[in-house]
Amino acid sequence: MTNSSLPGRIAASLADISALPNPMLPPLSRNAPCPCGSGKRYKDCHGALAGPAPGPHTPDELWHEAQFALANGRPAEARPLLERAVELAPQRAELWRERARIEWALGDARAAATCRAAIARAPADVSAWNLLAEMTRESDPAVAEEAWRHVLLLDPDNAEASFHLGNLQRERGEAQAAIAHYERALRSAARHPGVLNNLGLALEAVGDVARAEACYRDVLATQPRHPDALANLANLQYQQARYRDAVATYERAFAVRRDFPANVWIQRACAEAELRAFAAAEASLREAARLCSDDVKTHIDIGSACLMQSRFADADAAFSRALELDPRNPYALTMSLHSRQQCCLWHGLDERFVALQEVLDADAPRETGHAVPFPLLAMPLPPLTLLRAAQRWAKELAPPVSVPPPVVARTPGERLRVGFVSSDFREHPTAFLLMDCWERIDRMRIEAFAYSLVPLDKGPIGQRIAAAFEHVVDVSEEATARLAQRIRSDHIGILFDLNGYTSYARSELFPLRPAPVQINWLGYLGTLGADWYDYIITDGCATPEALQPFFSERFLYLPDCYCPSDTRREVARPAPTRKQSGLPAKGLVFCCFNTPYKILPGVFDVWMHLLTQVPTSVLWLSPGSDTAIAHLREEAAARGVEPQRLIFAPRVTYAQHLARHAHADLFLDTSPYNGGTTVNDALFMGVPVITCAGSTMASRIAASQLQTVELSELITTNLGDYEMAALRLAQHPDQLAELRSRLMANRQTQPLFDMARFARNLENALERVWLDHAARMSSS
């Protein structure tokens, strides 16, 4: 979902409240007890007056016959009866009042004048004053408020007037005054569901969520199927990050009533999305779109839900609908492009990139709907555009008032407390890279904390991660504010964001400044554009000093490479055969195991040129969606290459994937978004990598790894050189074999896979950062 604010509160009881004192109305059945309290059946008491007796009707007979028609849903029949009654007894105020009530029900413009005529005849009739207030509530709220205040002068305990005055004040943002009126109404209408429900909303507005929840539960104690109370309770549970409770309560509400407004369906979808129930969230959002078909954000969120389910064509359809409504919406433009890249659907791609950059570079301010920064890393955009996009996204995350960082004292000799926040403490490329580093952290220097944004992995990877840290905690269902307080209570000195703006991130945590020093590392290969991040872990190759102006974070250089490696990663034995891997028995194997959205037409053109010039070669790619596979094969055919020469590796375990690298001859990297873990895997398994380094961090991370393993000759800076380097190696097997031998030797001697060295360098960098922070604090 987008990171813009949630829909407003809903389900306030606004109509006249039926359980409060009202004028007497007849029952729906003439055999029911008469509401006058006589104990007789209605037809034998007041209902007898409504019979079809011949001759002229008295005013009382006309009145009661009109009431019976009104109670049975026939106001049009009631109106002439009351008009006749008023003609017969123009001095009787109650007849004027009831005539006004019927006129109002029928939308008659004379209703208010008729009601005022009733008040003129009986100035102390609180029912008439209440009726006049309700009539004028929408057209003239000031008149309505004055009328209800007059009711309270006449009858200080009148619950109806107090209730409606509370509603007026709550809607004006005067929640504290509204609470007083609701509590006053409850004195004479104890436990009334409408009053309790709206009191709950007012209490929420002043931050008293415990009492608000108690109000909703009081309603549900007597009316378990009260839809408004259920919806409001669900909303409150969502705001407290009690997502499972919220979804269950929404289910109860929708079991009672389906005709909630669109924003209730959206709230439900948000709760479902937090639980990663994306199919359910999509269904809720589609119902919201049915109710409000022109809401841009709803279509955007439908697209996001489809993306999370890897249904990229459906996502593009939703984003395209959003663009029909808001053609220059940066969020929709970005995610539509990203969806098409995921499908390898390249028609008109260059023109779309140009249009997107034009929008991103424009200075026109927007409240919401800014571009998602992460997909931009895989698009041919300059560093300044990426910085601007990140800054605008960060602005949406910023709290209304900046939060000062905590003061964390560290006594001499005390270990530095370092926290890592991530959704990737599981089988994920980030964890695959960091595992060995975490395990080698010197516990005499650093006390490490892991805060997992998803439920803890119970498998072998999760067990290994748990053993690497002194403290591991599942915070997947913890409210963001509570998580920030937890981190502060843990006295964390340096806090890492290992996600950045990626899936399942908790980007709203870091603006709350839970730690005095906050660092962006590894999960997001670019600037986060926010002043609440102090540093980004990097190196001189990945981000030369010339890139510093395009980062909000200061560069924290490691001496070798920004990227750790897991030298203890398991490799399946024995390796699969070529046949088992789906490869032909002979021929050179180019490979690229980067995700399909990183493949752009320019790079693909080079790959097809290589296949054309090396006739027996094949291109081994990672498994994408069926749509992506089909489009890539179509693109190959369009370039004169047999589609069967593109071979898509099936999904296997990580250990099996590493083992099958034995059959790869040369890894062809993507640009402008390089492979990170995939390149590291290839180098670890002895497969040379050709990369094309660009002007962004994401386009230089493969170069950083190649430089650190002493293979700089495989780094190019344009696609022409990239193609020539790959072709030279493909056509000279002896050179390729020598390169592979050098890589295997360098793997043992160069820093890229020396994790003991990497861990010490990281610890030293963190100590320098902390000493610099402490010095600045002592001098301020």
Side-chain angles (χ1 to χ4, degrees):
M1 305 292 160
T2 62
N3 74 329
S4 46
S5 58
L6 290 170
R9 306 295 287 164
I10 49 86
S13 297
L14 295 176
D16 199 4
I17 37 184
S18 58
L20 298 182
N22 258 341
M24 186 183 76
L25 293 177
L28 294 178
S29 169
R30 295 178 68 81
N31 288 313
C34 186
C36 72
S38 67
K40 299 179 182 179
R41 291 180 297 180
Y42 178 69
K43 70 178 183 180
D44 297 325
C45 186
H46 284 81
L49 300 175
H57 291 64
T58 68
D60 283 339
E61 291 174 329
L62 291 163
W63 179 15
H64 287 293
E65 189 170 342
Q67 294 281 27
F68 186 77
L70 188 63
N72 284 276
R74 303 194 303 272
E77 293 181 20
R79 176 162 55 183
L81 296 170
L82 261 298
E83 288 174 346
R84 177 61 180 153
V86 167
E87 289 176 7
L88 294 174
Q91 75 286 359
R92 291 180 56 179
E94 74 276 16
L95 297 178
W96 285 92
R97 183 190 68 217
E98 295 312 305
R99 173 180 161 183
R101 192 184 303 280
I102 290 171
E103 289 173 345
W104 183 41
L106 292 171
D108 192 323
R110 299 172 296 174
T114 303
C115 192
R116 285 188 172 90
I119 291 171
R121 287 163 174 77
D125 184 353
V126 295
S127 293
W129 282 104
N130 270 324
L131 180 60
L132 177 64
E134 286 199 64
M135 288 177 178
T136 57
R137 188 186 194 281
E138 298 300 325
S139 60
D140 196 339
V143 168
E145 182 172 1
E146 184 180 353
W148 275 316
R149 292 194 182 280
H150 190 72
V151 169
L152 293 180
L153 291 175
L154 298 170
D155 178 9
D157 295 323
N158 189 278
E160 186 175 350
S162 291
F163 172 75
H164 286 296
L165 282 170
N167 289 342
L168 282 174
Q169 290 170 321
R170 183 178 57 80
E171 291 160 15
R172 288 201 301 254
E174 301 167 6
Q176 204 63 58
I179 289 169
H181 276 293
Y182 292 139
E183 290 174 336
R184 184 177 186 179
L186 288 171
R187 290 202 296 265
S188 52
R191 299 181 68 80
H192 187 279
V195 181
L196 283 168
N197 180 76
N198 290 11
L199 173 59
L201 292 175
L203 288 166
E204 277 196 75
V206 299
D208 195 344
V209 294
R211 280 188 67 201
E213 181 169 348
C215 285
Y216 303 140
R217 293 195 181 281
D218 280 350
V219 175
L220 297 172
T222 56
Q223 294 190 21
R225 293 170 58 82
H226 193 286
D228 291 352
L230 284 167
N232 287 325
L233 176 59
N235 292 341
L236 183 146
Q237 290 166 331
Y238 176 86
Q239 297 294 344
Q240 294 181 308
R242 293 156 55 192
Y243 303 122
R244 294 190 188 282
D245 292 342
V247 168
T249 307
Y250 279 123
E251 289 298 320
R252 289 174 59 193
F254 283 101
V256 176
R257 193 175 108 201
R258 303 287 294 180
D259 63 338
F260 280 105
N263 57 354
V264 185
W265 289 94
I266 293 170
Q267 289 266 57
R268 181 196 195 193
C270 291
E272 291 164 333
E274 291 287 353
L275 296 176
R276 294 190 285 171
F278 297 113
E282 181 193 346
S284 296
L285 288 165
R286 290 196 183 279
E287 181 61 21
R290 185 186 67 80
L291 296 169
C292 189
S293 61
D294 291 342
D295 183 68
V296 174
K297 184 178 179 300
T298 301
H299 292 290
I300 283 175
D301 285 346
I302 290 172
S304 298
C306 291
L307 275 181
M308 298 305 291
Q309 299 172 75
S310 298
R311 291 186 13 244
F312 305 118
D314 291 336
D316 185 39
F319 294 127
S320 295
R321 172 60 182 147
L323 289 170
E324 290 174 7
L325 299 167
D326 184 3
R328 291 176 62 83
N329 184 288
Y331 189 107
L333 282 167
T334 300
M335 300 313 283
S336 176
L337 260 170
H338 182 61
S339 302
R340 296 171 76 84
Q341 285 181 259
Q342 289 278 12
C343 295
C344 298
L345 187 60
W346 297 334
H347 176 70
L349 201 63
D350 288 341
E351 293 82 356
R352 288 169 179 259
F353 286 144
V354 170
L356 176 61
Q357 183 176 346
E358 187 179 296
V359 168
L360 296 180
D361 287 343
D363 293 325
R366 293 180 66 98
E367 289 297 320
T368 59
H370 295 298
V372 189
F374 177 72
L376 302 178
L377 300 180
M379 301 179 190
L381 299 170
L384 181 58
T385 300
L386 297 180
L387 172 63
R388 286 172 173 166
Q391 288 173 328
R392 288 168 181 169
W393 189 259
K395 188 175 180 181
E396 286 194 45
L397 295 168
V401 179
S402 62
V403 181
V407 176
V408 175
R410 184 185 176 203
T411 59
E414 184 182 3
R415 292 185 297 167
L416 179 61
R417 291 189 167 208
V418 178
F420 297 84
V421 177
S422 180
S423 65
D424 301 328
F425 295 115
R426 54 192 170 101
E427 289 198 44
H428 187 276
T430 299
F432 295 155
L433 290 176
L434 275 164
M435 194 88 66
D436 201 347
C437 173
W438 288 328
E439 290 170 334
R440 293 177 188 270
I441 287 176
D442 185 351
R443 293 193 178 189
M444 299 296 291
R445 301 179 72 184
I446 288 178
E447 185 177 359
F449 294 70
Y451 302 96
S452 179
L453 300 177
V454 300
L456 292 172
D457 182 355
K458 303 299 184 184
I461 296 293
Q463 292 171 21
R464 192 175 162 192
I465 291 171
F469 288 93
E470 290 182 69
H471 312 275
V472 180
V473 60
D474 177 354
V475 295
S476 58
E477 296 192 21
E478 193 159 323
T480 300
R482 196 176 305 135
L483 173 55
Q485 187 54 52
R486 174 196 285 271
I487 294 170
R488 284 176 174 244
S489 298
D490 287 339
H491 303 291
I492 299 299
I494 297 177
L495 187 67
F496 282 97
D497 182 356
L498 297 179
N499 277 98
Y501 302 136
T502 61
S503 298
Y504 310 124
R506 194 79 73 88
S507 300
E508 65 274 19
L509 168 67
F510 294 88
L512 301 180
R513 267 294 185 179
V517 178
Q518 299 184 162
I519 299 179
N520 168 19
W521 187 29
L522 203 61
Y524 188 87
L525 298 168
T527 182
L528 296 173
D531 58 11
W532 46 83
Y533 292 101
D534 302 286
Y535 298 94
I536 180 171
I537 296 280
T538 184
D539 62 61
C541 180
T543 57
E545 284 287 353
L547 288 182
Q548 181 65 81
F550 307 111
F551 281 71
S552 60
E553 309 92 334
R554 284 174 286 171
F555 291 163
L556 181 56
Y557 282 143
L558 296 184
D560 302 314
C561 179
Y562 83 97
C563 184
S565 303
D566 181 10
T567 60
R568 300 166 178 172
R569 64 192 98 179
E570 180 187 354
V571 181
R573 293 287 185 264
T577 64
R578 285 177 73 115
K579 183 176 180 180
Q580 289 170 331
S581 300
L583 296 169
K586 296 181 179 180
L588 185 132
V589 177
F590 295 110
C591 77
C592 180
F593 295 126
N594 297 352
T595 50
Y597 75 85
K598 294 184 179 182
I599 303 172
L600 293 186
V603 169
F604 192 77
D605 286 342
V606 171
W607 294 353
M608 295 305 99
H609 292 163
L610 291 170
L611 291 182
T612 300
Q613 295 175 84
V614 185
T616 60
S617 64
V618 294
L619 177 61
W620 200 12
L621 298 172
S622 67
S625 64
D626 290 345
T627 304
I629 290 172
H631 284 151
L632 285 172
R633 285 189 164 142
E634 289 172 6
E635 293 290 346
R639 290 162 173 80
V641 174
E642 298 89 337
Q644 293 73 23
R645 294 179 67 188
L646 272 59
I647 298 172
F648 294 89
R651 296 190 185 280
V652 294
T653 67
Y654 185 46
Q656 291 169 331
H657 171 63
L658 291 174
R660 67 187 175 191
H661 279 74
H663 306 302
D665 294 300
L666 185 61
F667 188 109
L668 303 174
D669 194 20
T670 50
S671 185
Y673 200 164
N674 299 166
T677 305
T678 52
V679 165
N680 193 269
D681 288 340
L683 296 174
F684 182 75
M685 296 306 298
V687 181
V689 176
I690 299 282
T691 192
C692 181
S695 61
T696 65
M697 183 179 187
S699 70
R700 300 182 62 82
I701 56 173
S704 170
Q705 295 189 54
L706 287 166
Q707 180 173 283
T708 311
V709 79
E710 290 288 331
L711 292 177
S712 297
E713 67 265 39
L714 297 181
I715 303 169
T716 67
T717 56
N718 61 75
L719 289 180
D721 290 346
Y722 171 93
E723 181 177 343
M724 288 176 59
L727 182 60
R728 183 179 64 254
L729 291 173
Q731 292 179 338
H732 295 85
D734 55 331
Q735 293 183 22
L736 183 56
E738 186 278 330
L739 193 62
R740 290 180 69 101
S741 297
R742 185 150 54 93
L743 170 57
M744 294 302 289
N746 289 357
R747 208 185 77 170
Q748 307 302 319
T749 60
Q750 297 305 313
L752 183 62
F753 297 108
D754 186 345
M755 282 302 101
R757 172 174 171 153
F758 185 96
R760 298 297 84 76
N761 287 337
L762 178 64
E763 292 161 8
N764 292 338
L766 297 183
E767 285 286 0
R768 290 196 306 273
V769 162
W770 183 256
L771 290 173
D772 179 65
H773 166 75
R776 283 187 285 109
M777 291 300 100
S778 63
S779 64
S780 62

